[in-house]
Amino acid sequence: IIGFHKDYFTKAVLERFIKYMTKFMNKTTLEFKIFILYQFDETLPLNLGYLYNCGFEIAENEGFTKFIFHDINLLPADNLLSYYKRDSKHPIHLGYNWSGYIYEIYHLGSIMFNKHNYEEINGYPNNIEGWAGWDHEVILRLKDAQLIIKIPSSGDFISNGEKTQINMKKWRQIKKSNIINKHSEEWKQNGLKN
């Protein structure tokens, strides 16, 4: 499941992602489908949380039980195939070993959930716009739901042509914002359930 907004990603990045991931997922021999959620109103900032929640509901209605929320800028190397094939009772942070992001500040380049885990955390927040902040909120949800996030012991990612630049000032503002500060009061109503 990927979210797409023309102001944040190029068509070339999207096309490379689809071509690469189709070939990669075919190697797993699993039934799969790539869900691309386009933000309808592109005059508004990117809202990945909302797009991911919509993608989850669509995929669930089609009978899928494993959901990978994927950064369009990351392409998994073949040494991650076994993790993409895995059925896990815990979320798996597939992108953790990629050196392009600093995981003290950027948490979820690519993460896999089963249906139960995703519903337990009430999905992604719907009220965080832009490129940063929603990942931090999901980490808080995982902690509150007492879910253990598994990390691959190894595995590489290839950059999809463009390295996302994280605006550190904006990220720190979001991390300290009222949205994050109200996490404990609002997370159970802000996500799949609203």
Side-chain angles (χ1 to χ4, degrees), residues 45-64:
L46 174 69
N47 188 330
L48 274 176
Y50 179 75
L51 295 174
Y52 283 167
N53 290 335
C54 291
F56 169 82
E57 290 177 354
I58 293 166
E60 180 192 23
N61 287 337
E62 291 192 20
F64 289 94

Side-chain angles (χ1 to χ4, degrees), residues 140-157:
L140 295 175
R141 291 172 184 225
L142 288 162
K143 288 178 182 176
D144 283 357
Q146 298 180 347
L147 289 173
I148 297 166
I149 189 164
K150 297 291 184 176
I151 297 170
S153 57
S154 63
D156 301 311
F157 274 88

Side-chain angles (χ1 to χ4, degrees), residues 21-35 64:
M21 287 307 294
T22 300
K23 185 177 176 184
F24 178 85
M25 290 303 294
N26 278 330
K27 294 176 192 174
T28 68
T29 68
L30 298 171
E31 182 183 343
F32 73 93
K33 185 172 184 179
I34 298 172
F35 294 89
F64 289 94

Side-chain angles (χ1 to χ4, degrees), residues 80 83 93-100 103 151-157:
L80 280 168
Y83 289 98
H93 187 198
L94 299 163
Y96 184 81
N97 291 311
W98 190 56
S99 61
Y103 283 99
I151 297 170
S153 57
S154 63
D156 301 311
F157 274 88

Side-chain angles (χ1 to χ4, degrees), residues 1-2 52 56 66-72 74 80 83-84 88 90-96 103 106-114 117-118 121 123-124 134-135 138-139 141-142 147-152 157:
I1 298 171
I2 62 168
Y52 283 167
F56 169 82
K66 180 166 56 172
F67 311 88
I68 300 173
F69 300 90
H70 219 290
D71 185 331
I72 194 171
L74 299 180
L80 280 168
Y83 289 98
Y84 278 73
S88 177
H90 301 287
I92 300 175
H93 187 198
L94 299 163
Y96 184 81
Y103 283 99
Y106 181 90
H107 296 286
L108 304 173
S110 234
I111 186 168
M112 179 170 51
F113 287 98
N114 64 36
N117 291 160
Y118 195 73
I121 67 163
Y124 283 82
W134 56 270
D135 53 337
V138 170
I139 292 296
R141 291 172 184 225
L142 288 162
L147 289 173
I148 297 166
I149 189 164
K150 297 291 184 176
I151 297 170
F157 274 88

Side-chain angles (χ1 to χ4, degrees), residues 2-4 9-20 34-38 72-73 75 160 162:
I2 62 168
F4 186 83
F9 314 107
T10 66
K11 291 277 186 190
V13 166
L14 177 62
E15 289 166 4
R16 265 193 314 271
F17 181 87
I18 294 167
K19 182 178 179 182
Y20 184 94
I34 298 172
F35 294 89
I36 304 160
L37 284 291
Y38 293 86
I72 194 171
N73 293 310
L75 304 172
N160 187 9
E162 295 178 13

